[in-house]
Amino acid sequence: MNLALCDDETAQLAQTEALLQSYQAQRPQMDWTVATFSSPSALLEHICVRGTFDIYLLDVIMPGENGIELGLQIRKLDQGGRIVYLTASPDFAVDSYQAKASGYLLKPVEEARLFPLLDDLAESWQRERQSFITLKTRDGIQRLPIHTIVYGELVRRCVHYHLADGSRIEGMSLRGSFQNAVKPLLDHRRFVLCATSFLVNLSFVEMIDASGLRLVGGKTLPLSRSLRTEVTNQWMDYYLSGGR
């Protein structure tokens, strides 16, 4: 599990890093790595060059690009990472929802609030990584992590699963309905039917407008008129709860 800490204040960065080291020491069974960054640009460059993190601890008030703006930039590159904001002012709490934040802690960061939050995030991360669906394909049985599925669509009686890495997996021809075929995914809160032949992972929905569901990356999925209110409410609920 990889964590990124970004804070432009040297003293605060060192203090929070020390807390994270203490957290690691108290939980030797957990495999953690922590990387620290003193500017948003350094963190974004790392993501673009070396990859994303599982958890981001971001200071809100930083020169140039603030933490909220940084979180929105991260969301364009990483839909799955958990974002936690650190700030001396509660004024940005509502703004933090724009980046689907999983937490908001006031500085100075205290062990009593940080450690339980990290425990919750680590538990949800572990559950997510252990959540799979089993698909029958022409090549045999395949286990697919649900967090990698962006959307599913029915094409000539087969469900095509489109994945976050741009690939696609085609299931076997259906004997029943599309809804029954994707029921294992609908049991997870992040998935919802958006049209007769489409299922979407709410983690990848960037906007709902008159054209349908706009996904991260620019793809637009259809949204049935009869489902618009239900899907919008589910998406907003998922969004406001930090995508958990």
Side-chain angles (χ1 to χ4, degrees):
M1 192 170 189
N2 303 314
L3 185 147
L5 169 63
C6 185
D7 196 324
D8 68 303
E9 298 181 35
T10 304
Q12 293 287 345
L13 185 68
Q15 178 184 347
T16 307
E17 184 180 14
L19 277 176
L20 293 174
Q21 291 172 349
S22 176
Y23 179 83
Q24 291 177 279
Q26 294 179 33
R27 293 156 177 78
Q29 77 281 5
M30 299 176 66
D31 185 15
W32 279 66
T33 61
V34 176
T36 59
F37 303 89
S38 59
S39 70
S41 60
L43 174 53
L44 290 173
E45 181 180 0
H46 183 286
I47 293 173
C48 292
V49 175
R50 303 182 61 182
T52 60
F53 293 87
D54 301 304
I55 297 177
Y56 301 87
L57 298 184
L58 308 179
D59 182 27
V60 171
I61 303 175
M62 292 186 284
E65 191 170 42
N66 66 38
I68 303 298
E69 294 167 342
L70 173 59
L72 294 175
Q73 290 295 319
I74 290 173
R75 277 289 167 256
K76 293 179 180 179
L77 303 168
D78 179 10
Q79 281 293 304
R82 275 71 168 170
I83 294 176
V84 176
Y85 283 113
L86 315 175
T87 183
S89 170
D91 296 341
F92 295 91
V94 174
D95 292 337
S96 68
Y97 285 117
Q98 296 180 53
K100 303 179 184 178
S102 297
Y104 190 95
L105 299 178
L106 293 178
K107 290 182 174 181
V109 180
E110 299 176 352
E111 176 180 321
R113 298 192 64 193
L114 176 62
F115 286 16
L117 176 58
L118 291 177
D119 284 340
D120 288 344
L121 295 179
E123 182 181 352
S124 67
W125 179 87
Q126 186 65 27
R127 284 199 308 268
E128 181 178 272
R129 292 309 184 272
Q130 292 175 343
S131 296
F132 296 83
I133 61 168
T134 301
L135 300 178
K136 291 183 179 180
T137 70
R138 290 184 173 86
D139 298 323
I141 303 296
Q142 184 167 350
R143 295 180 74 229
L144 188 62
I146 65 167
H147 71 276
T148 65
I149 302 173
V150 180
Y151 69 97
E153 64 175 324
L154 183 62
V155 180
R156 294 189 296 275
R157 299 296 300 164
C158 294
V159 181
H160 290 192
Y161 297 91
H162 297 261
L163 309 184
D165 63 3
S167 63
R168 184 189 68 187
I169 294 179
E170 182 178 332
M172 295 292 289
S173 181
L174 299 184
R175 295 184 178 179
S177 67
F178 173 71
Q179 185 166 348
N180 284 338
V182 299
K183 187 179 183 306
L185 290 176
L186 291 174
D187 290 338
H188 294 270
R189 183 168 169 264
R190 70 173 65 198
F191 288 95
V192 62
L193 289 172
C194 58
T196 305
S197 302
F198 283 87
L199 165 101
V200 67
N201 184 339
L202 296 174
S203 298
F204 294 93
V205 176
E206 190 173 62
M207 179 182 291
I208 299 178
D209 56 25
S211 63
L213 300 175
R214 192 175 76 190
L215 308 182
V216 174
K219 173 76 175 180
T220 298
L221 297 184
L223 177 57
S224 298
R225 181 177 300 179
S226 61
L227 296 173
R228 175 171 290 273
T229 299
E230 178 183 352
V231 171
T232 301
N233 288 340
Q234 286 188 245
W235 178 64
M236 288 300 297
D237 181 57
Y238 186 78
Y239 174 82
L240 292 174
S241 65
R244 287 170 290 178

